[in-house]
Each structure stands twice: as C-alpha cells, then as structure tokens.
C-alpha cells in the first residue's frame, strides 16, 4: 500500500520539476490556466488541486500524476537517468544519439 498523500511533498515535487523545466510559477500557471497564486499555494502544500489541475500540471511538466502524488514513477526515474547520461556526452555524441533515436522511432512506428 502506498503512503498517504502529503501536500507539502507534492508541492515540493511540482516545484522541483517546474524549476528543472525552466519554468516560472507564472509560466506554469499560464500553461495550466490557473493563477500564479494558486501555483504558489500548491507548491507550499497549503492548497489541494482538482484532478483536472493535477492532470494539467502533469502534462505541462511532462511527469506522471503518480510521481506528483506519491514520488514514485519508474518512467520518471528512467527519464532522469537518461538526462544525466546525455548531459555527459559531447555535442558530437549527442548528435549521433539523436540520429539513432530518430531512426529507432521511425522503425517502431512502421511495425
């Protein structure tokens, strides 16, 4: 069974991901169509959010709702590891990896 929902931890995860995505509270609020103050309150852990707002924040930050609510998401952990590995590559290596990924994605679309 999962841990109970902790609004302050949820707010911290949202803030951490917002900053990792280079977004201000204002920009995230625009993308989610809510006020900047509401984002501030969510990040402080003093306000709850509707399922619709949770889904919109999840989409805007490209993270799962499971990660936002519980801090657990295998896909997010894999994504973070990939980002870390890619950050260690040279520009030339990044270009090669990008070409390989485009090729692989094209192949999987054809299957």
């Amino acid at each position: 069974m999962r841990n109970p929902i902790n609004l302050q931890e949820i707010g911290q995860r949202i803030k951490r991901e917002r900053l990792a995505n280079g977004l201000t509270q204002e920009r995230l609020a625009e993308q989610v169509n809510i006020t900047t103050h509401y984002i501030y309150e969510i990040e402080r852990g003093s306000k709850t959010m509707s399922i619709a707002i949770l889904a919109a924040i999840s989409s805007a930050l490209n993270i799962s709702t499971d990660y936002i609510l519980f801090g657990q998401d295998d896909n997010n952990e894999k994504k973070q590891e990939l980002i870390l590995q890619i950050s260690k590559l040279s520009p030339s290596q990044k270009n090669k990896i990008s070409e390989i990924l485009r090729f692989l994605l094209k192949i999987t679309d054809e299957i």
Side-chain angles (χ1 to χ4, degrees):
M1 184 166 179
R2 295 180 189 247
N3 295 330
I5 293 175
N6 181 314
L7 294 179
Q8 288 160 336
E9 289 177 3
I10 288 170
Q12 289 170 1
R13 283 190 285 275
I14 290 171
K15 181 177 183 176
R16 184 172 45 250
E17 293 297 323
R18 174 180 61 76
L19 293 172
N21 281 280
L23 295 175
T24 63
Q25 287 180 337
E26 293 80 11
R27 184 68 186 122
L28 179 58
E30 287 174 11
Q31 290 182 1
V32 179
N33 199 29
I34 59 177
T35 67
T36 302
H37 186 72
Y38 191 31
I39 291 290
Y40 167 78
E41 294 288 339
I42 291 170
E43 289 184 356
R44 277 189 57 218
S46 59
K47 291 279 185 184
T48 60
M49 63 190 118
S50 68
I51 293 173
I53 298 298
L54 173 65
I57 289 173
S58 169
S59 178
L61 297 176
N62 196 27
I63 55 175
S64 73
T65 56
D66 201 39
Y67 176 72
I68 292 173
L69 294 174
F70 306 107
Q72 300 171 338
D73 182 2
D74 290 338
N75 287 333
N76 194 53
E77 289 173 17
K78 290 174 187 172
K79 176 181 142 185
Q80 294 302 322
E81 181 169 339
L82 283 171
I83 290 169
L84 177 63
Q85 294 300 322
I86 290 169
S87 71
K88 296 176 183 178
L89 299 175
S90 70
S92 173
Q93 290 172 317
K94 288 177 184 176
N95 286 335
K96 289 176 185 175
I97 293 295
S98 180
E99 289 174 24
I100 291 168
L101 282 174
R102 278 194 294 273
F103 176 75
L104 290 173
L105 290 171
K106 183 178 177 186
I107 289 174
T108 57
D109 285 344
E110 294 173 359
I111 296 176

